[in-house]
Amino acid sequence: MPGLTAGLSGRLLLLTVIFVMIAEVLIFVPSVANMRLSWLRDRLNTAAAAGAVIDGLQAELPRSVQNDTLMATGAKLIALRKDGTSRLLAVAETPPGVDEQYDLSDVSQVAAVRDAFSTLLFGGNRVIRVFDVVGDSDTIIELVLGENKLRAAMLAYARNVFLISIVLSLVTAVLIFVSINRIMIRPIRRLTLGMQNFSEDPGNPERIFVPDEGTDELSVAGRHLADMQTELQKTLRQQKNLVDLGLAVSKINHDMRNILSSAQLMSDRLVDAKDPMVRSFAPKLLRTIDRAVAYTGEVLAYGQATEGAPKRKMVPLSLLVRDVRDILALDPDSGIEFHDGVPPDLTVDADSEQLFRVIHNLCRNAVQALQSDTTNAAPRNLSISAQRTGSVVSIVIDDNGPGMPRKARENLFSAFRGSARSGGTGLGLVIARELVLAHGGTIALVEKPGPGTQFRIEIADRAASVQAARTA
């Protein structure tokens, strides 16, 4: 039995047999009660027919005729009540003592079931008295008979019903088993096998489940499983890229920090140079190297899925934009014009280094897009504008390049999938979004009627607490 019920199909077969047997039992209970009533009424009808003939003779029957009549009905006594009088038609030589009596003219279903099981369980040696009305008349036919033949007939009926129930339940169970096994068990087993195969080697594209064509629930589940496995493989590939990227960056980071530290020491000497142009560029070069040194210390932050909490203060946005323009170092021969539309007195409540990274990443992407657009003869422009509305500063970075491809738009801010150029990683937009969200702000790609790409960044000032206002 444990082996049979170990699988879903075996349990289904067993439950089907059990349920069919329960249904047969529910059918058997009233049917055996009706069988008992039918058996008794048949004897009463036979006795009533004989009684009508005997009653017309108006004479007592000889003993031999009485015995034949009693044998034909299986009774020990036959009596007829008519017009208030009772006539004994036939009786055994020794009148029997009656153990139970039943009136079949008015029998409820509950009483019929009770009497039937009383006969099955306790009958056999009892003598019962049974009477019923003959047809539509007021004549009552009465029999006294032993219960052994009735019980034997009921046991034979019960045995036949039981055998038929067994055969019916097995046939029904097999038919249901074959149907359900084909419709449900096999597809479920196939889904389970597909999950097991995929779990053994989730990186293998050949292990992705191939769903069946169809509109039923299992076919839909198969298609969802295949989609889920496909997306999981993409996620695993992205995670592998992140691991490889983190490993590569960690190898580079150590040597890069040493190189930048040496460059920082040498750049400090440029401040003392006598050349005016060198002296003017020295502070910018130092700030750039300082940022590079700081970036090498935080370059693995993306791989760790975290960024440092922003150290916010009121920052002149125009100075950050000017640093971005200097870092981009756009050559006049490149044909790209940088337009700075940020008001000089506009300040933003942000971490200056993190906001610089956001603007620089977006501007660098715009410059790369403009440089790749060799078919556009119009002047290529990159502009930054900003304005304050109440406590919210809105920064717009706009270019008139070729715009972002459809795939990049669909996977915007997704690492390794949202890059707008071939060979790109899309990490710039991911990092920019993460830094903006750390400020509680928003960054979005804005739909524009003309060509190009436009991003809007919105950062709100922090709410000043009463304690901070008092100490200010």
Side-chain angles (χ1 to χ4, degrees):
M1 185 63 69
L4 177 64
T5 59
L8 184 61
S9 56
R11 295 178 186 178
L12 178 64
L13 180 63
L14 181 61
L15 287 176
T16 303
V17 173
I18 294 174
F19 290 156
V20 172
M21 292 300 296
I22 291 175
E24 290 294 335
V25 168
L26 296 177
I27 295 174
F28 170 76
V29 170
S31 66
V32 72
N34 292 333
M35 177 266 170
R36 173 181 174 275
L37 293 176
S38 298
W39 192 91
L40 292 175
R41 286 194 174 107
D42 288 341
R43 299 309 186 268
L44 288 173
N45 290 335
T46 302
V53 175
I54 296 172
D55 186 54
L57 297 175
Q58 297 295 327
E60 184 177 351
L61 294 177
R63 168 54 52 189
S64 59
V65 177
Q66 290 187 29
N67 291 337
D68 292 341
T69 304
L70 293 175
M71 184 178 297
T73 58
K76 299 179 181 295
L77 181 149
I78 302 175
L80 191 69
R81 282 187 286 175
K82 182 179 180 183
D83 298 330
T85 61
S86 178
R87 181 184 177 185
L88 189 64
L89 302 180
V91 64
E93 293 182 358
T94 303
V98 176
D99 298 316
E100 298 287 343
Q101 60 180 358
Y102 303 101
D103 181 4
L104 300 188
S105 61
D106 184 19
V107 183
S108 66
Q109 189 64 39
V110 175
V113 171
R114 180 196 62 205
D115 296 339
F117 278 91
S118 175
T119 301
L120 282 174
L121 298 177
F122 310 109
N125 298 321
R126 298 184 302 185
V127 176
I128 60 174
R129 175 173 172 262
V130 185
F131 53 93
D132 194 5
V133 177
V134 179
D136 296 332
S137 65
D138 57 354
T139 303
I140 298 176
I141 187 70
E142 177 181 338
L143 291 179
V144 175
L145 67 163
E147 209 175 25
N148 56 338
K149 291 185 178 180
L150 171 60
R151 186 171 184 270
M154 292 177 66
L155 289 175
Y157 176 82
R159 182 176 61 253
N160 292 335
V161 171
F162 176 75
L163 294 177
I164 293 174
S165 301
I166 291 292
V167 174
L168 181 61
S169 63
L170 290 177
V171 171
T172 304
V174 169
L175 292 177
I176 293 178
F177 172 77
V178 172
S179 302
I180 299 299
N181 187 66
R182 184 177 182 84
I183 296 173
M184 291 185 60
I185 304 301
R186 286 184 182 178
I188 292 176
R189 189 177 294 127
R190 186 167 175 267
L191 282 172
T192 304
L193 184 60
M195 294 184 216
Q196 292 175 346
N197 291 336
F198 183 81
S199 64
E200 292 174 358
D201 187 8
N204 188 355
E206 295 181 355
R207 297 296 182 97
I208 294 179
F209 182 76
V210 180
D212 294 328
E213 296 293 335
T215 57
D216 59 281
E217 289 79 358
L218 290 175
S219 298
V220 174
R223 288 193 290 272
H224 283 299
L225 175 62
D227 294 340
M228 181 183 66
Q229 291 177 346
T230 302
E231 290 299 322
L232 180 58
Q233 279 196 351
K234 292 180 181 178
T235 302
L236 291 176
R237 284 196 295 268
Q238 292 177 10
Q239 293 296 327
K240 185 178 182 302
N241 288 338
L242 287 175
V243 172
D244 294 341
L245 177 63
L247 180 60
V249 170
S250 63
K251 291 178 179 179
I252 296 172
N253 190 45
H254 180 267
D255 294 335
M256 184 62 69
R257 286 175 61 88
N258 293 335
I259 294 172
L260 289 174
S261 297
S262 300
Q264 189 177 28
L265 292 175
M266 290 184 290
S267 299
D268 289 339
R269 301 177 183 178
L270 294 178
V271 179
D272 300 328
K274 297 180 180 181
D275 191 330
M277 182 175 294
V278 174
R279 291 174 63 89
S280 63
F281 278 107
K284 298 177 181 179
L285 180 59
L286 287 175
R287 285 198 303 270
T288 302
I289 294 178
D290 289 340
R291 287 194 178 102
V293 172
Y295 291 168
T296 57
E298 300 174 0
V299 71
L300 294 179
Y302 176 76
Q304 298 170 352
T306 180
E307 285 283 353
K311 301 175 182 178
R312 302 178 66 170
K313 62 181 180 179
M314 300 306 295
V315 178
L317 184 58
S318 60
L319 294 180
L320 291 180
V321 174
R322 194 179 309 161
D323 288 344
V324 170
R325 181 186 60 191
D326 294 339
I327 293 297
L328 293 175
L330 295 176
D331 192 340
D333 296 334
S334 65
I336 301 176
E337 295 290 338
F338 187 94
H339 298 281
D340 183 359
V342 178
D345 58 346
L346 181 60
T347 58
V348 57
D349 185 8
D351 185 312
S352 60
E353 291 300 324
Q354 292 188 0
L355 185 56
F356 172 86
R357 292 170 61 186
V358 173
I359 298 174
H360 179 257
N361 282 336
L362 296 178
C363 290
R364 184 181 56 191
N365 289 346
V367 169
Q368 291 173 349
L370 291 170
Q371 289 174 343
S372 65
D373 187 16
T374 58
T375 59
N376 187 5
R380 292 178 285 181
N381 298 318
L382 168 61
S383 64
I384 301 180
S385 60
Q387 64 176 4
R388 174 178 286 277
T389 304
S391 61
V392 179
V393 175
S394 177
I395 306 171
V396 176
I397 300 173
D398 190 12
D399 68 74
N400 62 345
M404 299 191 71
R406 181 178 61 85
K407 181 179 179 181
R409 289 174 176 266
E410 292 175 353
N411 299 283
L412 198 63
F413 305 119
S414 296
F416 306 106
R417 299 172 62 187
S419 177
R421 61 185 177 87
S422 176
T425 62
L427 291 177
L429 289 178
V430 174
I431 294 173
R433 179 176 180 272
E434 184 176 349
L435 294 175
V436 171
L437 292 180
H439 283 76
T442 61
I443 179 172
L445 177 66
V446 181
E447 296 292 338
K448 51 185 295 188
T453 304
Q454 182 180 115
F455 281 94
R456 176 182 289 114
I457 303 168
E458 292 183 341
I459 298 177
D461 297 342
R462 290 168 297 172
S465 64
V466 176
Q467 184 64 31
R470 290 176 178 176
T471 58

